[in-house]
Amino acid sequence: MSLEEYIRRVDFYRLGSGATLLVLLAFYSPVMLLVLSPTYGALPAHIFHVYGLGIFAAAGWFLKDQVQLRLGRLAAYMLPVLAFWTPTLQYFVMQQSSMLGNPLGPVITELFGYYPLALLTVAIAGKQIQYSLHLEDMGDVAAEHVPLVGSYLVYSLGEHFAKALLSRFIGFTVVFSRAGLQFVIAILYAAVVPSKMLLLAIPSVLFSITADVHFGGIGGVNSAIQSEGYSILARQESYTGYISVLENHNDGFRVMRCDHSLLGGQWTKMAPGYHPQVQDPVYAVFTMLEAVRLVENSHGSHRVDAGSKALVIGLGVGTTPAALMKHGIDTTVVELDPVVVKFAKQYFNFPSNHATTVDDATKFVKRALKTPSAHQYDYIVHDVFTGGAEPAELFTIDFLHDLSSLLKDDGVIAINYAGDLALYPTGLVVRTILATFPTCRIFRENAPPADNENQDFTNMVIFCTKNIGAPLKFRSPEQADFLGSDSRKNYLLPTHEIDPAVFDPIPKGGSRLLVDKEVKRLYKYQDRGALEHWEIMRKVIPAAVWENW
């Protein structure tokens, strides 16, 4: 048979239909992770996602003949119905997240809709592709494996395209929200496989429109969480996660949330007549970061704020850079996420006239080093999100060495890191910092727990200088350092010091330092820290708030 004759035999309509179904399933994979992240966290959502998807997709491929035999066209007609019901089923399952736990919760959530959808999609698409190619004359091996390899390539390309598209456009419109994308995918399934069975999806569609708080405005969310004493002031999808601003009305504080974590917060309930120049942060660690100003210079003298320059990597709610600016320090802030900048200015009193640089910190630092007139900074504050989901590339010895080049010879750097002191990633990061800067001291936010046999998860700040031989000392704070704040009176001067020797042990197969080319190897060690962080966050904010976003 000639190639021309073979091409005439190919059923391109069926081939296109099968390929389209695989692309839709591929698009749903990263969307499903986005849906799980606000309730379970980004890393825990990933732990078993690929394995579960692989198992159900493989089952769909090898059972495609049985699915065709037993269900016939009904199997295809069920696809859009199941796609429409998946958000509704998962809504009710995620309301039980505390009972299900983590990482079991994400797996069970995906069992309600997504994994069955994957099985049916692969079974139907695989059979359509196999039928359309007409490879029977070439033998059983070709008839089975060519469609299999082709299907895998179509899925892989679709997933890569989906990830690139989502990273660029997530949050751009309601359609490109995680809840909206589930609805869009269901509509596209219905367009590929139209049938009268879509009438069965009407109850789910009505529920999504009228009762699913993930689809509606913030009014629905506030109705669901008001009994917990919380309300949501603003929310927006972004490529770093689901960002929202939460107000606690009982205890009087406001926080900025990213997925299943907090970027920071400030107290809003204050005594009459109490007006600090910069709002008190809810976490003492953000006050501790301001202690970079208290580190004595190499001559043992006080540092002078006037004329000093600071670089802050990671904005959060902006408490630390706002305090540095209030002291008269020329402060440059680099933040990856524009939504974080917007919310910090609108809801956390970060100076609205400050020109924050929205950029990847690694790119900013590289450009700064190549600029002939590059500034060197008296202070650098490294304060990016950690707690099991840290951007590891910002803790490599390569990046820290570049930061060191931007720090004046007598400058000070403060690095905030949250993690379990006993876990490998924490030790790896601390050892890398200590190897970069010759003189460092490590302080934790609170005193160590009485029983820390199983875990010791804490916020800590590593203060370092480039001075060799000169000890790192803090001067006693003065009244002006407190900016009229009781929190700064209590927490500005670090007190709970950690012995660096705690981080000396290296587990078998581990590395002493974190380098750029080995960043990906760290990811597999971050899961346990992320799960510990999830448990801590459930104690800080009620489950209902996390579940309803």
Side-chain angles (χ1 to χ4, degrees):
M1 182 189 302
S2 67
L3 178 61
E4 184 178 344
E5 290 175 331
Y6 174 74
I7 292 176
R8 282 200 296 266
R9 290 183 60 189
V10 173
D11 185 342
F12 285 101
Y13 176 81
R14 183 174 284 184
L15 178 64
S17 176
T20 302
L21 288 175
L22 289 176
V23 170
L24 288 177
L25 180 64
F27 206 96
Y28 213 148
S29 176
V31 171
M32 190 69 250
L33 291 172
L34 291 176
V35 170
L36 294 170
S37 295
T39 303
Y40 291 105
L43 279 184
H46 278 80
I47 293 175
F48 294 114
H49 172 78
V50 174
Y51 300 110
L53 178 58
I55 290 170
F56 277 83
W61 182 266
F62 291 111
L63 294 174
K64 62 183 183 298
D65 292 327
Q66 289 296 318
V67 171
Q68 177 73 18
L69 178 65
R70 296 179 183 277
L71 297 177
R73 289 188 176 183
L74 179 63
Y77 295 153
M78 289 170 58
L79 278 177
V81 176
L82 183 56
F84 275 112
W85 271 99
T86 295
T88 300
L89 295 173
Q90 292 178 347
Y91 173 84
F92 289 105
V93 174
M94 284 193 286
Q95 297 296 313
Q96 310 302 318
S97 63
S98 290
M99 181 187 71
L100 296 174
N102 206 359
L104 182 61
V107 177
I108 294 177
T109 303
E110 292 192 272
L111 283 171
F112 282 83
Y114 177 69
Y115 285 154
L117 183 68
L119 188 153
L120 273 181
T121 300
V122 172
I124 294 160
K127 205 63 184 174
Q128 287 184 326
I129 291 172
Q130 193 174 43
Y131 279 157
S132 66
L133 292 177
H134 296 291
L135 297 172
E136 300 83 4
D137 297 343
M138 300 181 186
D140 293 341
V141 174
E144 181 69 21
H145 288 85
V146 170
L148 173 61
V149 173
S151 298
Y152 177 75
L153 290 176
V154 169
Y155 177 89
S156 297
L157 289 173
E159 190 173 40
H160 282 297
F161 174 74
K163 290 178 180 178
L165 191 68
L166 291 173
S167 67
R168 184 177 179 87
F169 293 108
I170 188 68
F172 186 72
T173 65
V174 175
V175 171
F176 269 90
S177 65
R178 56 201 71 203
L181 284 166
Q182 282 189 294
F183 209 72
V184 169
I185 292 172
I187 292 173
L188 293 175
Y189 263 105
V192 177
V193 192
S195 78
K196 293 180 180 179
M197 284 189 65
L198 281 169
L199 293 172
L200 298 175
I202 291 177
S204 177
V205 173
L206 291 176
F207 175 83
S208 297
I209 295 173
T210 61
D212 188 341
V213 297
H214 302 151
F215 281 90
I218 61 176
V221 182
N222 288 337
S223 297
I225 65 176
Q226 63 180 354
S227 61
E228 302 288 348
Y230 282 84
S231 66
I232 186 169
L233 303 182
R235 65 176 180 177
Q236 187 170 335
E237 309 270 356
S238 188
Y239 49 81
T240 65
Y242 170 83
I243 313 294
S244 66
V245 179
L246 292 167
E247 185 93 5
N248 178 292
H249 300 284
N250 297 332
D251 298 320
F253 62 81
R254 182 179 295 176
V255 293
M256 190 188 302
R257 166 188 178 174
C258 179
D259 283 342
H260 201 284
S261 187
L262 301 179
L263 299 181
Q266 296 174 345
W267 294 102
T268 56
K269 185 182 292 185
M270 294 175 287
Y274 178 64
H275 302 290
Q277 297 179 54
V278 176
Q279 296 294 106
D280 290 344
V282 294
Y283 289 112
V285 68
F286 298 113
T287 300
M288 287 170 54
L289 287 169
E290 299 172 26
V292 289
R293 298 177 49 257
L294 304 184
V295 176
E296 296 177 347
N297 62 27
S298 57
H299 304 293
S301 304
H302 291 196
R303 297 176 183 272
V304 178
D305 292 329
S308 297
K309 295 182 180 296
L311 171 64
V312 178
I313 297 176
L315 175 61
V317 302
T319 305
T320 301
L324 296 178
M325 286 184 265
K326 187 62 70 173
H327 285 296
I329 299 172
D330 182 4
T331 304
T332 300
V333 181
V334 181
E335 168 57 47
L336 179 63
D337 196 325
V339 177
V340 171
V341 177
K342 181 175 74 172
F343 284 173
K345 291 181 176 181
Q346 288 182 351
Y347 298 99
F348 295 93
N349 300 305
F350 186 69
S352 58
N353 59 350
H354 185 271
T356 300
T357 302
V358 178
D359 199 357
D360 183 310
T362 58
K363 295 178 181 178
F364 173 89
V365 171
K366 288 292 185 184
R367 281 200 310 271
L369 290 173
K370 293 178 181 178
T371 304
S373 59
H375 291 298
Q376 276 198 310
Y377 297 95
D378 301 273
Y379 308 110
I380 295 178
V381 176
H382 184 301
D383 183 23
V384 298
F385 174 71
T386 54
E390 54 267 21
E393 63 276 6
L394 298 186
F395 291 93
T396 65
I397 196 164
D398 312 77
F399 179 73
L400 293 174
H401 182 269
D402 288 343
L403 278 187
S404 177
S405 299
L406 289 180
L407 187 66
K408 289 183 178 179
D409 290 339
D410 201 21
V412 186
I413 184 171
I415 303 173
N416 180 19
Y417 187 86
D420 189 328
L421 303 191
L423 294 185
Y424 170 63
T426 304
L428 180 63
V429 167
V430 173
R431 289 192 299 272
T432 304
I433 295 170
L434 299 182
T436 307
F437 300 95
T439 302
C440 298
R441 293 177 69 181
I442 309 168
F443 294 87
R444 58 187 297 150
E445 184 176 27
N446 300 306
D451 52 342
N452 60 346
E453 295 181 3
N454 296 322
Q455 65 181 51
D456 185 9
F457 198 102
T458 186
N459 281 306
M460 56 184 171
V461 179
I462 302 100
F463 295 92
C464 300
T465 67
K466 297 164 71 173
N467 297 323
I468 300 176
L472 191 154
K473 294 182 179 180
F474 297 91
R475 66 172 173 82
S476 297
E478 301 169 354
Q479 195 65 32
D481 297 315
F482 301 136
L483 299 175
S485 161
D486 291 340
S487 174
R488 289 173 177 83
K489 289 180 181 178
N490 293 323
Y491 303 114
L492 178 60
L493 189 64
T495 54
H496 306 292
E497 191 161 6
I498 301 174
D499 185 351
V502 170
F503 306 103
D504 287 343
I506 303 174
K508 185 178 180 180
S511 302
R512 191 175 76 87
L513 304 175
L514 179 61
V515 297
D516 272 347
K517 62 182 179 180
E518 295 183 358
V519 161
K520 291 184 179 179
R521 292 179 57 189
L522 181 64
Y523 295 154
K524 66 180 182 180
Y525 294 101
Q526 292 179 314
D527 294 340
R528 181 177 165 186
L531 293 174
E532 288 184 17
H533 189 257
W534 183 83
E535 293 178 359
I536 292 171
M537 288 294 100
R538 284 299 170 108
K539 296 174 182 176
V540 175
I541 304 289
V545 178
W546 299 114
E547 293 163 351
N548 290 286
W549 303 357

